[in-house]
Amino acid sequence: MYEELKEVIENSNNIVFFGGAGVSTESGIPDFRSVDGLYNQKYKFPPETILSHSFFMTKPRDFYDFYRDKMLCLTAKPNKAHIALAKLEKLGKLKAVVTQNIDGLHQAAGSKNVYELHGSVMRNYCVKCHQLYDVTAVTKSEGIPKCSCGGIIKPDVVLYEEGLDDNVVSGAVRAIANAEVLIIGGTSLNVYPAAGFLNYFGGDKIVLLNKSETPFDNHANIVIRDPIGKVLGDCVGIQGN
């Protein structure tokens, strides 16, 4: 399977990557839905409740207690999957990364054309005056981070009950629709509307890299169950751990 994937990569200059939490687990960032994932841990409130728009608006202090503790993993470094994708983009083979992750690791690895469907912890803004802040506005504050105008600073991430950004959606859909090869990695494909974007693909090859089965397996030309960092790292020639 590795040799087959290497050949697909070698023969294409129009690849799009669609990824989820499993891309970053090898960087030490926990996923959400596995046995040890965030949603299977015990908190005062369920994580799905905490990470909702209504909870943020009504209990911002409790939101930030959880958010700082579990959602900010700023010491994490890009792994071989992130590095391999950035290399493929630099070589002109990869046209876009469409990610459900909010950790910013694709950009940290050097990827330029990244569609962040669920936003990024690296960006924040005031809900009152919309002034922009970087992540230090959250990390260097205590309790509820406040803007100079007095408004609450909110992470630029898509919470439950919130819609996706229209420009990000249209860009991601366009990239997938125009791709020749679609590599899907580290995602259960159970989160909508994001998983539904794959229906726009009409290209030649679908590659699926995920440790467990997904609803899309039967549509893929290549399915590999190994860790995504190992697969992409080996196939693209990334050295190191």
Side-chain angles (χ1 to χ4, degrees):
M1 284 296 186
Y2 279 44
E3 291 303 318
E4 191 176 350
L5 177 53
K6 285 181 184 178
E7 184 176 345
V8 167
I9 292 172
E10 179 66 28
N11 292 333
S12 179
N13 291 313
N14 187 0
I15 303 169
V16 167
F17 178 81
F18 180 94
V23 178
S24 293
T25 52
E26 291 169 69
S27 294
I29 296 179
D31 65 4
F32 288 83
R33 289 175 172 78
S34 67
V35 174
D36 298 319
L38 203 58
Y39 287 176
N40 290 313
Q41 299 177 31
K42 303 301 180 185
Y43 299 100
K44 182 179 177 182
F45 302 95
E48 298 98 321
T49 299
I50 299 173
L51 296 174
S52 68
H53 177 80
S54 55
F55 190 93
F56 173 82
M57 297 304 293
T58 56
K59 295 183 172 63
R61 185 175 295 274
D62 287 323
F63 172 89
Y64 270 111
D65 286 345
F66 176 86
Y67 181 81
R68 288 191 183 95
D69 186 37
K70 295 297 181 183
M71 303 302 291
L72 291 179
C73 303
L74 302 182
T75 58
K77 304 295 183 186
N79 61 53
K80 288 199 289 185
H82 301 105
I83 296 167
L85 292 168
K87 180 178 178 179
L88 289 176
E89 182 185 64
K90 192 172 183 180
L91 291 171
K93 291 186 167 295
L94 185 81
K95 300 308 181 188
V97 169
V98 180
T99 180
Q100 299 171 80
N101 295 342
I102 59 175
D103 51 46
L105 290 181
H106 285 293
Q107 290 91 334
S111 289
K112 305 296 183 187
N113 195 26
V114 182
Y115 294 102
E116 296 172 306
L117 298 178
H118 298 153
S120 173
V121 299
M122 300 300 173
R123 300 186 301 269
N124 303 269
Y125 65 93
C126 172
V127 299
K128 185 176 180 182
C129 74
H130 304 292
Q131 180 173 332
L132 302 179
Y133 289 89
D134 64 21
V135 71
T136 59
V138 175
T139 58
K140 292 187 176 180
S141 62
E142 295 183 2
I144 305 168
K146 294 289 186 70
C147 174
S148 55
C149 78
I152 297 175
I153 294 174
K154 179 186 180 297
D156 187 14
V157 298
V158 179
L159 302 176
Y160 289 105
E161 304 165 352
E162 295 179 342
L164 305 186
D165 181 275
D166 288 342
N167 291 329
V168 174
V169 168
S170 60
V173 167
R174 190 181 312 114
I176 291 170
N178 292 333
E180 178 186 32
V181 173
L182 180 63
I183 301 178
I184 305 165
T187 173
S188 65
L189 297 179
N190 287 319
V191 177
Y192 283 83
F197 291 4
L198 305 185
N199 294 324
Y200 290 96
F201 178 71
D204 186 38
K205 299 282 187 183
I206 295 175
V207 178
L208 212 155
L209 313 175
N210 201 55
K211 288 184 177 180
S212 57
E213 292 183 14
T214 79
F216 218 71
D217 284 14
N218 291 336
H219 300 280
N221 302 95
I222 300 173
V223 177
I224 302 177
R225 297 273 181 241
D226 295 340
I228 188 171
K230 170 178 169 49
V231 178
L232 291 180
D234 287 359
C235 291
V236 180
I238 304 301
Q239 305 300 318
N241 297 326

